[in-house]
Amino acid sequence: MKAITLEPGKPGTARLEDIAEPDVRDGSVLVEAVAVGVCGTDVEIVEGKYGWSPPGKTRLVLGHESLGRVIDPGPAKGFKKGDLVVGIVRRPDPMPCSNCAVGEWDMCQNGQYTERGIKEIDGYMSERWRIEPEYAMKVDPTLGLLGVLLEPTTVVAKAWEMVAAVGQRSFWDPHTVLVTGAGPIGLLAALIGVQRGLEVHVLDRATSGPKPELVKALGATYHSTTVSSLDFEPDIIVECTGVGQVIAESIGKVGAGGIVCLTGVGTGGATGGAAIADVAAAAVLRNNVVVGSVNANKRHWYKAAQCLARADRDWLGRLITRREEPANFARALARKPDDIKVVIQFADI
Ligand SMILES: [Zn+2]
């Protein structure tokens, strides 16, 4: 069968090649790949900056934003041929640490977790893949191809849960949320904000193209300005850019008792001259919290599937701005200005 593979750590090694059919030891549920989304992590892996091959192998099958159709459910109850499923990405570390031991592998403490398509387990960019039934999430069949958005939605489902958890420390009646960045993660964070009944604002550099339109279609407000120049103080900021200046301005802008949830991963960036103790003093005097959030556990996957099932199908469909064939994976990984989510489509749906 065909698969998109590469040698982690070595740029220029990605190719579409023939590999063996998935091993039954990889899971009792056999799945036909329908589509796999691509994101910045895939680009980093292909560029040799991230990623680890499975033990004893030199190449890794890429892909962690899956959507597939069950070919053979095996002995597992709860699945039947034709079900649309998405594979959970992370597996608990083998120790396991206390968080992995209770199923919170997203909070792994020792970093020895593994991840399909990223860290030591083959991913989902192959014509067929196998999965353990407990790591296969069924998606609403009416979502069709839109089920490929589940993995990025899990990231924001967890971020929203973090915000809610911090909010429980005191009486909390939030009204406004600012989402920085209108990529897939930002737009899905905005979707959940609307579903939670909040007044949602989204900030991004783009002044035209699909981003402003998608924000408006949600009933949210779009801003193509700086965070500092906004004329209100958000109760919640979900930061999805990873850009130093945006993060610094977000921490300064959030209202008293506010929560800044960081989901973007970047490097460097000026701090705008704010010294650490000054930032800390502002947080102390206003009871602000900055919380980081990464990955998702099974509870977040379940919640994310509920969010997608509730969402407007046309709006979700507009997030998928490009579909490419597996042979054109390099084109899928090359970002174009109006791209939001690009998927590699393995089979018709
Ligand atoms: Zn762990």
Side-chain angles (χ1 to χ4, degrees):
M1 64 171 179
K2 294 270 188 275
I4 298 163
T5 73
L6 57 92
E7 206 170 321
K10 292 194 182 171
T13 58
R15 63 179 184 233
L16 181 70
E17 63 171 337
D18 280 305
I19 65 165
E21 291 289 327
D23 194 304
V24 71
R25 284 170 296 186
D26 295 344
S28 58
V29 182
L30 179 63
V31 179
E32 168 197 28
V34 171
V36 186
V38 299
C39 76
T41 301
D42 296 306
V43 175
E44 283 195 359
I45 294 170
V46 167
E47 289 176 348
K49 296 173 183 164
Y50 201 69
W52 295 263
S53 56
K57 289 188 178 178
T58 53
R59 299 185 74 83
L60 171 77
V61 176
L62 189 66
H64 59 277
E65 299 185 5
S66 63
L67 174 69
R69 199 159 34 213
V70 173
I71 300 173
D72 179 1
K77 298 272 181 286
F79 293 96
K80 61 180 191 305
K81 191 172 185 288
D83 279 346
L84 286 181
V85 292
V86 175
I88 291 178
V89 178
R90 194 175 281 196
R91 299 291 178 275
D93 78 78
M95 294 287 284
C97 74
S98 51
N99 283 81
C100 284
V102 299
E104 292 187 352
W105 52 71
D106 57 316
M107 305 291 286
C108 181
Q109 296 163 47
N110 62 26
Q112 292 178 43
Y113 59 82
T114 52
E115 288 178 330
R116 290 196 69 158
I118 302 172
K119 191 168 183 275
E120 298 167 13
I121 325 178
D122 280 334
Y124 298 109
M125 287 187 187
S126 54
E127 288 180 291
R128 283 167 292 284
W129 39 269
R130 282 187 171 272
I131 191 156
E132 316 88 323
E134 63 272 29
Y135 290 101
M137 300 298 297
K138 269 201 278 194
V139 290
D140 187 316
T142 68
L143 282 168
L145 181 68
L146 305 173
V148 78
L149 297 170
L150 183 59
E151 195 277 341
T153 308
T154 67
V155 171
V156 289
K158 175 180 173 181
W160 273 107
E161 194 180 88
M162 294 292 109
V163 169
V166 173
Q168 292 310 303
R169 70 198 157 133
S170 63
F171 177 78
W172 194 49
D173 186 22
H175 296 286
T176 55
V177 55
L178 171 69
V179 177
T180 53
I185 295 291
L187 288 166
L188 290 166
L191 167 70
I192 296 181
V194 170
Q195 288 182 343
R196 286 174 167 253
L198 293 160
E199 179 189 312
V200 178
H201 298 258
V202 180
L203 180 145
D204 192 279
R205 284 180 304 188
T207 52
S208 61
K211 291 176 178 178
E213 292 165 23
L214 280 160
V215 171
K216 199 175 159 199
L218 267 184
T221 308
Y222 189 83
H223 304 267
S224 56
T225 174
T226 62
V227 175
S228 296
S229 59
L230 292 172
D231 62 1
F232 69 103
E233 293 184 344
D235 300 317
I236 301 161
I237 299 181
V238 182
E239 206 299 302
C240 305
T241 71
V243 175
Q245 187 67 33
V246 178
I247 297 165
E249 290 186 25
S250 295
I251 292 170
K253 189 69 179 178
V254 73
I259 301 165
V260 178
C261 184
L262 305 177
T263 70
V265 179
T267 53
T271 58
I276 291 291
D278 296 331
V279 174
V284 170
L285 296 171
R286 288 156 67 88
N287 289 294
N288 291 342
V289 176
V290 178
V291 57
S293 179
V294 72
N295 200 255
N297 65 40
K298 196 164 183 178
R299 184 174 70 250
H300 308 123
W301 283 80
Y302 187 83
K303 286 183 172 180
Q306 289 182 314
C307 291
L308 281 189
R310 271 205 304 273
D312 180 81
R313 302 292 188 269
D314 290 336
W315 187 85
L316 289 176
R318 289 161 68 188
L319 298 185
I320 300 175
T321 46
R322 209 147 52 87
R323 297 192 239 171
E324 298 282 4
E325 293 176 7
N328 295 330
F329 71 88
R331 210 154 70 191
L333 290 162
R335 181 153 296 196
K336 293 183 181 177
D338 280 349
D339 280 342
I340 295 175
K341 178 55 69 184
V342 178
V343 306
I344 299 175
Q345 192 158 357
F346 282 80
D348 290 335
I349 186 162

